[in-house]
Amino acid sequence: MAEAKTQITEVVPADFIAGVEPEAKREEAKNIDALFRKITGEKPQMWGPSIIGYGQYRTTYASGRDVHWMRAGFSPRKARHSLYLMGGYCDDIAAKRRDELLAKLGKYTTGKSCLYINKLADVDMGVLEQMITSDWEAMQRKYPES
């Protein structure tokens, strides 16, 4: 099997965040980082050139593909923040909770396992904290640390 393209790098997440433009996006990235650190208790690592990840896990899909990936994370992209919240997609309890919380979150879009937010002012930060917490707990249930 081929290695995943996105791997952990030696880049310091705080250094990456310091280079995020524009300044408003950089300040929001600092707030998102602080929120993930508070919830996960993890020190972040850079995954590839632009994803900040918290924790990691390994699994093998039914197809036989081995996966090494972050438990949660985000990327402060120029247009919008991409939050990687996989727990709601691999755990029925978290999926139900995610749907309930999305109804209260505010302005967002979603992708396969991403939550996209243009700016933090568009969402209820308390609801976002609950979403990240629920997702983190789901990942801990589904992929307990060994």
Side-chain angles (χ1 to χ4, degrees):
M1 287 280 158
E3 284 274 328
K5 291 181 185 175
T6 306
Q7 299 286 327
I8 295 172
T9 71
E10 296 298 319
V11 175
V12 176
D15 293 345
F16 169 73
I17 290 172
V20 169
E21 292 292 339
E23 183 179 349
K25 194 65 74 175
R26 180 172 51 249
E27 292 306 313
E28 289 185 339
K30 290 176 185 177
N31 290 333
I32 295 169
D33 175 48
L35 185 59
F36 271 101
R37 286 175 187 251
K38 173 185 164 188
I39 292 165
T40 69
E42 296 281 338
K43 181 180 174 186
Q45 294 179 289
M46 291 299 300
W47 288 76
S50 62
I51 301 173
I52 302 167
Y54 304 82
Q56 52 188 293
Y57 71 101
R58 293 182 184 274
T59 191
T60 303
Y61 292 147
S63 67
R65 181 172 173 236
D66 289 322
V67 177
H68 177 220
W69 193 236
M70 67 189 137
R71 289 180 181 271
F74 79 102
S75 181
R77 311 238 186 239
K78 189 171 272 192
R80 59 191 179 180
H81 297 289
S82 300
L83 281 73
Y84 297 88
L85 302 173
M86 285 71 69
Y89 296 89
C90 65
D91 180 90
D92 292 340
I93 297 167
K96 184 175 188 282
R97 181 75 174 133
R98 179 196 65 228
D99 292 344
E100 293 167 357
L101 292 169
L102 283 174
K104 300 186 272 185
L105 182 61
K107 186 177 173 185
Y108 68 89
T109 58
T110 59
K112 186 167 181 155
S113 62
C114 291
L115 174 68
Y116 301 110
I117 299 170
N118 291 339
K119 57 185 182 278
L120 294 183
D122 289 342
V123 298
D124 181 313
M125 290 300 290
V127 173
L128 182 60
E129 182 171 353
Q130 291 174 49
M131 288 187 73
I132 295 169
T133 300
S134 176
D135 183 82
W136 184 256
E137 291 168 351
M139 290 301 288
Q140 299 295 79
R141 276 192 308 274
K142 180 83 175 173
Y143 303 103
E145 297 194 35
S146 33

